[in-house]
Amino acid sequence: MNVLLTCAGRRNYLIKAFQEALQGSGLVYAADCSPDAPALHEADCGIALPPTHHPDYARELLQLCQEHRIGLLVPLNDLELPQLALLADKLQASGTHAVISAPGVIETCGDKFATFQFLREQGIPTPETFLTIDQALAKLSNGRLSWPVVVKPRWGSGSIGIEVAHDEEELHLAYRFAGIAVKKSCLARASQAEPEQCLLIQEQIAGDEYGLDIINDLHGRYVTTLIKRKLSMRAGETDRAVTVRNPMLEELGQRIGQTLRHVGNLDCDVINGSEGPRVLELNPRFGGSYPFAHQAGANLPAALLAWARGETPQPEWLRVRENVTSAKCDRLVEC
């Protein structure tokens, strides 16, 4: 079974993980819009594709999967998920299992205000979130919200456009600055849906931050939750973390997985503060904190391959050893 990782970028660790999981029974292909993306140069075959918004993207991706007999497609970037969700049936018809959730799930997770609404409807704690400065200031003035607050893109990815405001003057400045950052970034296209409400103001929660890998199978059935406590961040991604067991967070992951019915991995950010856990974001893809689970014994690539083959994963692939601390580091790849 050949595997394709799309928008592979710098995720060389996933190239290696899938190569090891295949054990010589297939090849790992990596695709990216940049031919110099590091992952392309450590995959068994690296292929440059047009950007996901390009009119030829869908045609070239389908052609790639057919020509190279891709059995499993794994997307790695938030901005490609809506396009791939619409292509899932065509990919399946050509023999490619796409680890992609239904369009409605992608829309709920991609729109951070829709995420807030979904979590509130399900009774899952999440920070207060507002679409306008006036709404946030009204809550701040009556004491139902306190400074500082976070300004962030409604359709966000990574740490682009995230600002913290400690008073009203800073809030207006942060809102303006974040809006400029969005317009100049890769988020501009996604934010065109509602350009006047493309930013959010969110309650800032203090506490320990956790990364949850909420794992469902390829039919959207809940399987398990892998938990890491984040020790440090860099450029919006987990840089150092330790694996933990936490029954409360495991139950939270189960509730989300069973309700959302996403496919594969759901990268979930949670802050556990004085009032208990608050869910910040849901990202239906491999997230930047997954490698810490893999380092501690999990093997989601092997589980995904097993499900795609109609097999049952080995139980040890879906659990981690506790108290394993890991850190990321950079290295050079010749292009």
Side-chain angles (χ1 to χ4, degrees), residues 7-15 32 36-40 42 76 234 237 329-331:
C7 291
R10 297 161 54 90
R11 294 170 180 82
N12 295 50
Y13 52 82
L14 283 177
I15 299 293
D32 198 275
D36 292 330
L40 271 60
E42 290 196 330
L76 300 177
R234 184 173 63 168
E237 187 170 288
C329 63
D330 291 330
R331 60 185 177 85

Side-chain angles (χ1 to χ4, degrees), residues 207-212 226-233 238 240-246 249 270 272 289 292 323-326:
D208 292 330
E209 187 168 354
Y210 292 83
L212 277 56
L226 311 175
I227 305 172
K228 294 83 55 184
R229 181 165 59 86
K230 300 182 181 185
L231 302 176
S232 66
M233 303 286 291
T238 308
R240 193 164 56 93
V242 57
T243 53
V244 299
R245 290 292 307 278
N246 185 311
L249 294 181
V270 178
N272 193 16
S289 70
F292 302 97
N323 299 317
V324 176
T325 301
S326 307

Side-chain angles (χ1 to χ4, degrees), residues 154-285:
R154 181 174 174 181
W155 292 274
S157 184
S159 59
I160 297 172
I162 296 179
E163 303 289 337
V164 178
H166 296 81
D167 57 38
E168 185 172 347
E169 181 181 8
E170 285 189 12
L171 176 57
H172 286 282
L173 290 171
Y175 196 89
R176 183 180 178 187
F177 188 78
I180 293 171
V182 166
K183 290 178 182 179
K184 291 183 176 181
S185 75
C186 59
L187 305 180
R189 187 174 298 273
S191 300
Q192 288 176 350
E194 294 190 51
E196 300 304 316
Q197 293 189 329
C198 68
L199 298 174
L200 303 176
I201 299 97
Q202 191 170 74
E203 174 188 14
Q204 187 178 58
I205 304 295
D208 292 330
E209 187 168 354
Y210 292 83
L212 277 56
D213 291 310
I214 304 174
I215 310 301
N216 283 4
D217 66 15
L218 297 183
H219 298 285
R221 296 175 297 213
Y222 175 77
V223 178
T224 193
T225 299
L226 311 175
I227 305 172
K228 294 83 55 184
R229 181 165 59 86
K230 300 182 181 185
L231 302 176
S232 66
M233 303 286 291
R234 184 173 63 168
E237 187 170 288
T238 308
D239 196 51
R240 193 164 56 93
V242 57
T243 53
V244 299
R245 290 292 307 278
N246 185 311
M248 179 174 56
L249 294 181
E250 289 170 6
E251 181 182 354
L252 179 63
Q254 182 174 0
R255 286 180 62 193
I256 293 172
Q258 289 178 339
T259 304
L260 194 62
R261 295 191 59 81
H262 63 278
V263 171
N265 195 359
L266 181 78
D267 177 58
C268 175
D269 292 332
V270 178
I271 290 184
N272 193 16
S274 59
E275 297 182 2
R278 297 288 185 272
V279 176
L280 298 182
E281 292 194 359
L282 306 174
N283 301 297
R285 53 164 173 76

Side-chain angles (χ1 to χ4, degrees), residues 17-18 20-21 226 290 293-294 297-304 313-314 316-320:
F18 274 98
E20 292 176 348
L226 311 175
Y290 171 74
H294 198 87
N299 196 339
L300 184 54
L304 290 170
Q314 297 182 22
E316 60 267 25
W317 294 344
L318 296 164
R319 55 178 177 243
V320 297

